Amino acid sequence: MPRRLRFLPILTLLVALLALSGVVAHRLALQFGLAELQTTGLHRLELYAASLEREIGKYAFLPGTLGLERDVLALLGPQGDHQLAPQVNTYLEQLNERAGTLAIYVIDTTGRVVAASNWRRADSFVGENLAFRPYFREAMESGSGRFFGVGTTRGEPGYYLASTLSDERQTLGVAVIKVSLEQLEKSWTTVEAPAMVSDENGVVILGSVADWKFTTLRPLDEATRSAFDQTQQYNRRALTPLGIKELRELGHGARLVSIAKERPEMASVYPVAGRFLAQSRPLPGTPWTLTVLSHLEQVDDIAQSRAAVAVVVAALLFMFALMANERRRHLKDRLAAREALQQAHDELERKVDARTADLSNANQQLQDEVAERIRAERTLRAAQDELVQAGKLAVIGQLSTGIAHELNQPLAALRTLSGNGMRFLERGDIETTRANLQRIAQLVDRMGLITGQLRTFARKSSGQRQPVPLAQALDNSLALLEPRLRQNNVEVRRDCPAPGPVALCDPNRLEQVLINLIGNALDAMEGQPAPCLELGCAVAGDQARLTVRDHGPGLDEAALGHLFEPFFTTKQAGAGLGLGLAISAGIVGDFGGTLSGANHPDGGAVFTLDIPLCDEVADHE
Ligand code: ADP
C-alpha cells in the first residue's frame, strides 16, 4: 500500500477524534458555563428584586400616612372644608419635596383631585377627575392600589401608589403618590447585567438599558391596545417590540433568548444584542416581572477556547498514543528478535550438545577400535611370531637331513677312532692312541658347533634389535647350510669386504631370512651341474644392502606378481608351503627395511634386502 494511503485511516481517525473532542468539550463547557451563569443570574435576580422591593417599600406606606393629617381628612370630608385646600396643597408640596417623589395628591370619592403637591403649576392635577385611573378604582375597591402608568398631564411615566383615606365611618377619598421610575432605577445603578421590569402587559417599564423602556416583550393585540387608549396607561407611547426571541426553555424560569441588533447602536455598558440567558421572577405585591439577562458571549468564548484546548489536548494524546503504540511495537519486535536469538542460541546449544555427544561417542568408538586394533595387532604379532617360529622350524626340518648327514660322518669316524684307539692302547701304542683321542676331541668340538648353531637358530628370538654385521649373519647362515651346499657342489661367491656394513636388527631373524633366500636359490638351481650362488653386502644410502643371486631359471610372470603372498608356491606338495617369502618380507618390514625380488639381466633371480644401518656403527665408521 502506498505510504499516503496507509496513513489515510489514521488521518481520518485523527480528524474524527479531534472533531468529537472539540464538540464534546464545547458542549460540556457550554453546559457548565450555562449552569454557572444560571446560578449567577439567579443570584442577581434575587438581589435586584430585593433592592427594587426595598425602594418601592420605602414609599408604600406614604399614602396611608396622609390619613393621619386632620386637614387632609377635613378637606375630603362630606362637608369638605374647601378653605383648607391651600393648606393641604402646601403640605403636600412640602412632603413631595422631602420624599423626592413626583407628585402627591388626594382624590375624593368621586375621583376629583382636591389637593396636589403640584398645585402651583399650570398643569396641576387639582380639579382633574381621575376616576378612570385603575389605581383609584383599585383603591376604592380594596383599600390600596398600585399602577404603573404614564402621566396624562405631563406624560411622565411613574409608579402610582394609592391608599384610601377614611375616618371612623366611611371612606373619604384616596391618597396617591407618584414615584418616578428613575427613583426606582436608582437601586440598579450598580447592576452588572441588563435587567428590566415588565408589567402585566409585557411592556418594559423599568430597565437598566434606557432604550428598552416602553418596548414590548410580546406582541400586543388590538383589544389590549384600545384598552390602553382608554386608561391612557402609556399615554399613547409607541410601544415598539424589543425584538426578543425565545430560543430554548432551560427550566427554573430560565430561557435562552436572542435580541436582534435591529435598533441603532446605543451607548450602554452592557451588550444589548445577541444571545442571553433570561431569568425572570414575579415581583411580589405587583403584577410585574423582573427579568435579568446574562450575555452568553463569555460562555461562548470560554466554550470555544475550551473546545480549542480539548482539540489540542486530543491531538497531543493521539500523538502520545501513536508514539506509545510505536514504542510498544518496537519493544515487541525487540522481544521477538531476542526470542528468536534465544531460540537460535538454544538450537545451537542443542546441536553442539548433540555433536559433542556424537563426538564423544565417536571418540569412544575410536578408542574401542584402537583398543581392538591393538588387541588384534597383539594377536597378529603373536600369530606372526608363531608363524616365524613355525617357518624357522620348517627350515630346521629342511636342514635336518643335511645336519643328520653331517653328524653321521663324525659319529662314524668317532666310532672307528674309538675302536682303533682301544686296539692301539692294548698294543701299547700310546702315541697313536693320543693322536686318535685328539682327533676325537676335534670331531666332538665340530659336532658341538653344529648342534650349537642349530640350537641358536631354533631358539625363539627376543625380537630385540641390535647392531648386526652383515658378514657375520652371512657366515652363520652359510654354516647352517653348509652340508647342503657341499652336497650340491654349490659355488659360493661372496662379495663382502671386511668390515662390511652393520645393520640394526634382530640377528636371529635376519639369519632366518637369509637361510630362506639361500634355500630358495639352491632349490631353483637344483639339478644344475655347476650351481653358483652370489652373495653381496654393501651400503646403499642410509641402508645396509644384502643381495642373494642365483643362476637358476629366474622368476616367471606369476611369481613376480605374487612373490610375497602367503601360500604362493610353484613347488610340489610337501616341498614348499609358500610362506617363506611372506614371513621374510614381514620380518624385514619389522626391521624398517624392504625385501624385493627381481630377475637379473644376465639370468637368474636376485633378491635385495635393505635394512637400516646402525647409526652408532655408521658414526664410528
Ligand atoms: P616355497 O619355497 O615354500 O615355495 P617361498 O615363499 O619361499 O615358498 O617361495 C615362493 C615361490 O617363489 C617359490 O615356490 C618359487 O616359485 C618362487 N621363488 C622363490 N625364490 C626363487 C628363486 N630364487 N628362483 C626362482 N623362483 C623362486
Side-chain angles (χ1 to χ4, degrees), residues 398 516-525 548-556 558-560 562-572 575-584 598-599 604-607:
Q398 286 171 358
N516 232 316
L517 292 178
I518 296 169
N520 277 345
L522 295 183
D523 285 344
M525 296 187 292
V548 178
R549 186 205 160 178
D550 62 58
H551 288 262
L555 303 165
D556 61 17
L560 276 174
H562 309 282
L563 209 51
F564 299 103
E565 283 176 20
F567 304 110
F568 171 76
T569 180
T570 53
K571 294 175 188 168
Q572 285 172 350
L577 275 174
L579 283 175
L581 282 180
I583 292 171
S584 297
N599 284 318
V606 57
F607 283 83

Side-chain angles (χ1 to χ4, degrees), residues 45 48-49 52-53 56 148 159 188 194-207 215 217-218 253-255 278-293:
L45 195 64
Y48 299 171
L52 198 59
E53 273 167 40
I56 292 171
F148 166 78
Y159 188 46
W188 283 2
M196 57 184 167
V197 174
S198 54
D199 66 7
E200 66 277 20
N201 300 312
V203 177
V204 178
I205 53 171
L206 273 179
T215 56
L217 297 184
R218 53 176 187 265
R255 305 173 317 280
Q279 286 167 293
S280 307
R281 57 161 283 181
L283 280 173
T286 69
W288 301 346
T289 306
L290 172 66
T291 303
V292 172
L293 295 172

Side-chain angles (χ1 to χ4, degrees), residues 391-507:
K392 209 188 290 186
L393 292 178
V395 170
I396 290 171
Q398 286 171 358
L399 294 176
S400 62
T401 328
I403 289 167
H405 178 73
E406 192 71 358
L407 289 179
N408 271 341
Q409 257 189 329
L411 277 175
L414 277 178
R415 178 137 190 90
T416 312
L417 283 172
S418 59
N420 286 349
M422 282 199 304
R423 264 198 308 270
F424 283 129
L425 199 62
E426 283 166 5
R427 280 183 206 164
D429 188 350
I430 299 299
E431 249 343 277
T432 311
T433 307
R434 184 182 287 127
N436 267 9
L437 282 174
Q438 275 177 344
R439 178 83 182 123
I440 285 169
Q442 282 171 351
L443 283 173
V444 168
D445 283 347
R446 183 173 154 71
M447 281 167 70
L449 203 66
I450 290 169
T451 52
Q453 276 176 335
L454 200 59
R455 201 173 63 235
T456 309
F457 182 72
R459 78 160 190 266
K460 232 175 185 174
S461 74
S462 66
Q464 285 293 317
R465 284 200 263 172
Q466 60 190 75
V468 179
L470 293 188
Q472 195 184 328
L474 266 180
D475 284 345
N476 289 344
S477 308
L478 287 173
L480 280 171
L481 288 164
E482 173 63 28
R484 197 173 163 199
L485 292 170
R486 215 175 330 114
Q487 196 183 351
N488 289 356
N489 249 338
V490 180
E491 179 195 351
V492 178
R493 290 186 198 159
R494 250 177 85 154
D495 182 15
C496 211
V502 179
L504 187 67
C505 59
D506 175 359

